[in-house]
Amino acid sequence: MVLDVRHEDGILELTLSRPEALNAFTVELHGELASALKLARGPDVRAVVLTGAGRAFSAGQDLEETLTQGTTPGERLQRFYNPNLRALRALEKPVVAAVNGVAAGAGVGLALACDVRVASERASFVPAFIAIGLVPDASTSWFATQALGYARAFEWLTSNRKLPAAEALEWGLVHEVVAPEDTLTRARERAAELAGRPGSGVAMTKRLLQAAAEGDFDSQLELERQLQQAASEDPAYAEQVSAFLAKSG
Ligand code: LHQ
């Protein structure tokens, strides 16, 4: 097993577990992640935490496997990376990354595809692609441009500059930077907070904000209307409003 899966109190915790190769992605790791993301869709999972074992979050593609297996990068993306990234993004649960150490290449993309990033003071983000003549993949080009804007994303992703956690926070690439020993605990706390929100408001907000990045104003208003209607049909809505009125009345 190269992905540790722990399920406790509605939180599914996934730990990339190839520390000897800085949790670089192999076909085996993709496969286990795909199964875990299926598990995450079940009703007993309310939030997901994603982290890495050892001193790295993930060093992206396993370059040794790239050399020894026949698959081209394009095939790898199509067969392994992109389905998992689509599943992660479409998951109707919040995903919190505990970025415990370095994230490089596709590891950056994976971290950015999560909804919240808690980074260790020891974490860093390394484009890596450009150093080996490749382009940002695994959703990096999408999320980096969204988070940073074109100018900063272009400058950073065409360099191979290791972005330290403190600067990533300044840039808005991570939500919080904490001491190394607190990273996972803080990510678990954030996941539990999100998991504890009533109804399906968090899931639907995730969907709305994703759509906002892609759609036009009128379609967004219509999607807000549809999801608001759906959210208000969850019993949690009436319960929370009654509780509020009882308190303030
Ligand atoms: C590794 C790796 C690694 C294997 C460290 N693989 N072993 C998608 C689809 C298909 C094809 C191509 O690409 C993609 C997307 C991508 O992700 S492209 C980018 C791939 N990743 C990289 O190029 C990153 C390569 N790694 C590094 O630049 C450094 O290792 C970083 C900056 C991540 C960390 O540096 P250090 O802290 O100095 O660690 P290190 O370099 O000493 O690595 C520690 C060990 O981990 C070492 O093995 P060893 O046996 O000597 O202890 C490395 O060989 C191994 N490792 N990354 N991607």
Side-chain angles (χ1 to χ4, degrees):
M1 298 290 279
V2 287
L3 183 78
D4 291 335
V5 179
R6 211 175 108 171
H7 189 185
E8 218 177 285
D9 301 327
I11 314 273
L12 191 71
E13 193 169 296
L14 309 178
T15 307
L16 309 169
S17 241
R18 302 189 61 237
E20 70 291 349
L22 305 188
N23 306 316
F25 268 85
T26 54
V27 170
E28 189 185 14
L29 184 51
H30 285 296
E32 291 183 22
L33 183 59
S35 305
L37 289 172
K38 274 195 199 118
L39 191 65
R41 283 165 32 199
D44 47 348
V45 174
R46 299 262 309 157
V48 175
V49 169
L50 180 62
T51 193
R55 70 178 177 87
F57 178 72
S58 170
Q61 172 59 36
D62 188 297
L63 296 176
E64 211 170 301
E65 195 183 73
T66 306
L67 282 185
T68 54
Q69 289 205 353
T71 341
T72 66
E75 285 165 348
R76 246 169 219 273
L77 290 169
Q78 189 171 2
R79 288 175 56 192
F80 308 116
Y81 284 93
N82 292 353
N84 277 345
L85 288 157
R86 288 194 182 103
L88 188 65
R89 189 161 182 271
L91 189 66
E92 293 182 355
K93 322 279 166 84
V95 183
V96 181
V99 188
N100 52 304
V102 65
V108 174
L110 183 66
L112 296 187
C114 298
D115 303 300
V116 176
R117 281 161 292 290
V118 175
S120 154
E121 286 161 354
R122 283 201 200 119
S124 58
F125 296 84
V126 184
F129 309 100
I130 199 77
I132 54 173
L134 293 184
V135 298
D137 61 16
S139 76
T140 309
S141 67
W142 176 263
F143 288 114
T145 309
Q146 273 189 3
L148 305 177
Y150 178 86
R152 197 166 250 176
F154 178 83
E155 184 184 48
W156 181 46
L157 293 173
T158 53
S159 75
N160 194 32
R161 188 158 84 80
K162 181 185 264 207
L163 194 71
E167 208 176 339
L169 182 65
E170 227 172 82
W171 280 17
L173 212 59
V174 302
H175 296 76
E176 186 175 351
V177 177
V178 297
E181 63 277 16
D182 296 334
T183 313
L184 191 53
T185 309
R186 187 65 194 118
R188 285 175 182 152
E189 279 169 12
R190 279 187 174 254
E193 272 165 31
L194 288 162
R197 301 265 183 253
S200 40
V202 170
M204 290 196 196
T205 301
K206 175 170 173 171
R207 209 174 131 196
L208 270 178
L209 298 189
Q210 288 176 359
E214 291 151 44
D216 60 88
F217 185 66
D218 277 342
S219 315
Q220 191 68 17
L221 287 184
E222 175 52 21
L223 188 61
E224 283 181 354
R225 187 195 66 73
Q226 284 171 18
L227 294 185
Q228 192 66 291
Q229 184 59 38
S232 68
E233 285 165 14
D234 189 302
Y237 169 63
E239 282 162 26
Q240 295 298 320
V241 174
S242 302
F244 173 81
L245 293 177
K247 230 183 352 188
S248 55

